[in-house]
């Protein structure tokens, strides 16, 4: 078994769509980023790479590479999965979104199901949580969102 953890932050920006876990969220602000700025899928991708000892998404998908401008983070996650699929099963994924807005609760199940579909695992192996920073710091001032991910991986046949 191996454990990976990932964390990511993106600033809010007006007049941009917001995607979390590949799901479009109704919101008065979007997230600023080189790709589609899906902070949740970035944290998840980093957790998977970390658990497998493969660095981070900045290494694999540089944010100064025009190829990834506006990129669908779901496709980046698929590329990460391609790197590890011969060697690891995903046992479970636990995701946390931290910020003052938007309200995640109405989207929780949709995000869970969509992430599970992207990972090609059962929804019961995915959990989505949300919390605030109780008004403290940049997240508390609603300047952006943070996402954290923890994954458990099981080796198929020895290590990479
Ligand atoms: Mg990011």
């Amino acid at each position: 078994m191996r454990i990976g953890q990932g964390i990511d932050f993106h600033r809010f920006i007006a007049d941009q769509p917001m995607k979390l876990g590949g799901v479009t969220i109704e919101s008065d602000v979007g997230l600023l980023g080189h790709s589609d700025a899906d902070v949740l899928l970035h944290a998840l991708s980093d957790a998977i790479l970390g658990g497998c000892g493969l660095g981070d998404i900045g290494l694999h998908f540089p944010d100064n590479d025009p190829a990834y401008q506006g990129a669908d983070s779901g496709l980046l996650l698929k590329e990460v999965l391609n790197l590890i699929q011969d060697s690891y099963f995903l046992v479970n994924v636990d995701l946390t979104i931290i910020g003052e807005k938007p309200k995640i609760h109405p989207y929780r199940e949709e995000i869970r199901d969509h992430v599970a579909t992207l990972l090609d695992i059962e929804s019961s192996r995915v959990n989505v949580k949300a919390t605030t920073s109780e008004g403290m710091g940049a997240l508390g001032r609603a300047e952006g969102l943070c996402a954290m991910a923890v994954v458990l991986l099981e080796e198929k046949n020895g290590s990479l």
Side-chain angles (χ1 to χ4, degrees), residues 8-12 31-33 37-39 42 143-146:
D8 195 30
F9 298 83
H10 281 265
R11 288 179 180 274
F12 288 138
L31 294 170
L32 177 65
D38 190 326
V39 66
H42 292 182
E143 293 177 15
L145 273 186
C146 172

Side-chain angles (χ1 to χ4, degrees), residues 109-156:
E109 288 305 313
E110 190 178 353
I111 293 172
R112 180 189 201 187
D113 290 343
H114 191 75
V115 169
T117 299
L118 287 172
L119 297 173
D120 198 21
I121 60 177
E122 304 94 327
S123 291
S124 61
R125 294 179 183 271
V126 177
N127 189 63
V128 178
K129 310 192 293 294
T131 188
T132 72
S133 66
E134 295 285 339
M136 293 183 287
L139 296 171
R141 293 189 295 272
E143 293 177 15
L145 273 186
C146 172
M148 302 177 76
V150 175
V151 303
L152 186 66
L153 302 132
E154 185 173 359
E155 293 181 10
K156 289 185 176 174

Side-chain angles (χ1 to χ4, degrees), residues 70-148:
D72 177 347
S73 296
L75 296 178
L76 304 186
L77 176 61
K78 284 286 182 194
E79 288 194 39
V80 169
L81 293 172
N82 285 340
L83 292 174
I84 67 135
Q85 66 181 5
D86 290 342
S87 305
Y88 294 97
F89 299 106
L90 277 166
V91 178
N92 75 302
V93 172
D94 192 12
L95 305 170
T96 306
I97 299 163
I98 307 169
E100 296 296 319
K101 62 180 184 180
K103 287 275 175 255
I104 302 301
H105 181 72
Y107 297 96
R108 185 194 306 267
E109 288 305 313
E110 190 178 353
I111 293 172
R112 180 189 201 187
D113 290 343
H114 191 75
V115 169
T117 299
L118 287 172
L119 297 173
D120 198 21
I121 60 177
E122 304 94 327
S123 291
S124 61
R125 294 179 183 271
V126 177
N127 189 63
V128 178
K129 310 192 293 294
T131 188
T132 72
S133 66
E134 295 285 339
M136 293 183 287
L139 296 171
R141 293 189 295 272
E143 293 177 15
L145 273 186
C146 172
M148 302 177 76

Side-chain angles (χ1 to χ4, degrees), residues 26-68:
E26 208 168 300
S27 170
D28 62 337
V29 289
L31 294 170
L32 177 65
H34 183 67
S35 67
D36 66 5
D38 190 326
V39 66
L40 191 57
L41 292 187
H42 292 182
L44 174 56
S45 298
D46 257 354
I48 295 169
L49 289 169
C52 298
L54 292 173
D56 59 35
I57 55 171
L59 184 71
H60 294 271
F61 314 110
D63 67 5
N64 56 5
D65 185 337
Y68 301 115

